[in-house]
Amino acid sequence: MPTPTVPLRARLATLRGPDTLPKALDARALAALAANPGCRRRALLDGAGVDKSALAEALGSPSGFGQSQFAFIRGNAFEARVKADGGAELLRLAHQRLGGPEPTAGTSHVPDLTAVGPEGRAARTALALRDAEAGAWTLLDHPMVALDVAGSPAFLEPDAVVVHPDGRWTVVEIKSFPMIDGSADAAKVGAAARQAAVYVLALEQIAARLDPSPEVGHGILLVCPKDFSNLPTASVVDVRKQRAVTGRQLARLTRIEDIAGTLAPGTTFALEQPAEQLTTAVESVPATYAPECLAACELAFHCRDRARERGAVTALGRSLRGDLGELTTVDAVLSAARGESGDPADPAVAALRRAAALRAEALAVSAPAPRTEEAAVVREEGAACR
């Protein structure tokens, strides 16, 4: 067991490799992490700043997870257009959708958030939010905010944050998918709302340290291209539900130092080591795979293969796993359904045996009738069309 005197930061540096820089944890990864709080493997890898894409390549299970280069370039071009001229168009949309006095060149500010390192940028952002001038619009372009995740700080970078003349803070999400006739794709809007909810949580932590505490708006400003053009339009999306779910899920995450404390001394995820040692190190941290991981985690293919090898029922979905109770493998489920194992008083076992009996009954009823001589003659001579 590792000695408790080793600082957490040094322990995490050893895990990812002494010469490897940590990969920043963004809001999209946090939203995915909160969606699967029981996965200790992802919590530790993200907390240590391990590049999961490179790790999946080294394990022989590469993933195509991520944004296409075309979408990335298109999104950057649209964001630059929205923020041109000191964010005049963005502030106009904020005034139009969120109310307040009309912004003008003399009543709007875009503070400089340049600093060294993420800690410096986060401190500069907190100062800019605190010192925002009352009665004027303030636009923070790509601010840096910090959020405590399982005992380790995660530095996040929203597209923008708007400070209203009345002191209220609003998160701005700029996306390149179109908003047609005032509405956009529900799945994409939901993903943007979950991502923005992480920023809202981080801003609430900053606001709690100020006196008086400013209001953090739970209605984020979603900016998208209008119809099939490149002109920006905006809509207000209520993220109170996503904020509550994300906050609750992040609070349930096992602390990273507790997970790291269960590993053997010398465990590392450095990519330079042999593949067998790397696989052993990764498998030493328990994972909780679910089909939803395929759209959110770079290690999903590796974890899926291992779950299928073990016959884990989680590979079939979380809802099924919850219904089966203590039956965690496919072999155990089939054995209970055949009556070979399991407690008959267990509701899951009773339901499986009932389902097996109904299946056997249905197959017996639908069995083909024996072939008679008359039927054979009809088939040979041909039957009339009906």
Side-chain angles (χ1 to χ4, degrees), residues 365-386:
V365 172
S366 61
R371 183 176 179 181
T372 62
E373 295 182 359
E374 182 179 356
V377 172
V378 171
R379 290 190 180 92
E380 292 175 359
E381 296 180 352
C385 296
R386 297 183 179 179

Side-chain angles (χ1 to χ4, degrees), residues 46-325:
D46 284 344
V50 177
D51 188 347
K52 296 194 296 298
S53 296
L55 182 60
E57 292 276 355
L59 292 173
S61 302
S63 172
F65 175 77
Q67 191 178 32
S68 68
Q69 190 67 20
F70 174 75
F72 184 75
I73 295 175
R74 182 182 59 185
N76 285 344
F78 178 71
E79 182 177 344
R81 179 184 182 120
V82 172
K83 294 180 178 178
D85 299 327
E89 182 67 17
L90 180 55
L91 292 176
R92 184 191 67 82
L93 292 172
H95 159 68
Q96 179 182 353
R97 298 298 182 185
L98 301 170
E102 183 176 358
T104 61
T107 61
S108 58
H109 306 281
V110 183
D112 183 15
L113 303 178
T114 305
V116 178
E119 294 88 351
R121 292 184 57 197
R124 181 63 64 88
T125 298
L127 289 175
L129 289 170
R130 186 197 65 182
D131 299 336
E133 183 178 342
W137 291 88
T138 301
L139 172 63
L140 276 65
D141 184 8
H142 281 291
M144 183 69 71
V145 293
L147 180 65
D148 182 78
V149 179
S152 179
F155 294 98
L156 314 172
E157 188 177 4
D159 292 333
V161 172
V162 171
V163 181
H164 297 247
D166 59 1
R168 185 163 34 108
W169 301 351
T170 298
V171 174
V172 179
E173 274 291 288
I174 303 175
K175 299 297 182 182
S176 59
F177 55 81
M179 190 176 295
I180 302 174
D181 293 334
S183 62
D185 182 83
K188 295 180 179 179
V189 173
R194 289 189 295 271
Q195 183 176 343
V198 179
Y199 300 138
V200 171
L201 286 171
L203 287 176
E204 288 179 348
Q205 290 188 1
I206 298 175
R209 296 193 292 265
L210 301 180
D211 188 20
S213 297
E215 177 188 356
V216 180
H218 289 163
I220 64 120
L221 187 68
L222 178 62
V223 181
C224 300
K226 182 179 181 181
D227 297 331
F228 300 100
S229 67
N230 202 32
L231 299 176
T233 186
S235 177
V236 178
V237 180
D238 192 339
V239 297
R240 283 178 293 183
K241 178 179 178 181
Q242 291 83 356
R243 182 248 173 242
V245 171
T246 303
R248 183 168 60 251
Q249 298 290 60
L250 290 178
R252 291 172 53 195
L253 288 174
T254 306
R255 296 183 64 84
I256 294 176
E257 55 263 36
D258 296 339
I259 304 175
T262 62
L263 302 180
T267 301
T268 179
F269 305 116
L271 304 181
E272 298 79 13
Q273 60 184 319
E276 295 182 359
Q277 296 182 12
L278 181 60
T279 302
T280 302
V282 172
E283 293 300 319
S284 65
V285 186
T288 305
Y289 171 78
E292 294 83 357
C293 297
L294 293 173
C297 183
E298 295 86 344
L299 287 176
F301 290 134
H302 173 81
C303 297
R304 182 183 65 178
D305 293 342
R306 294 298 184 270
R308 288 176 174 177
E309 291 175 2
R310 297 191 306 268
V313 296
T314 52
L316 305 177
R318 290 197 189 98
S319 59
L320 182 61
R321 172 67 184 90
D323 293 337
L324 293 176

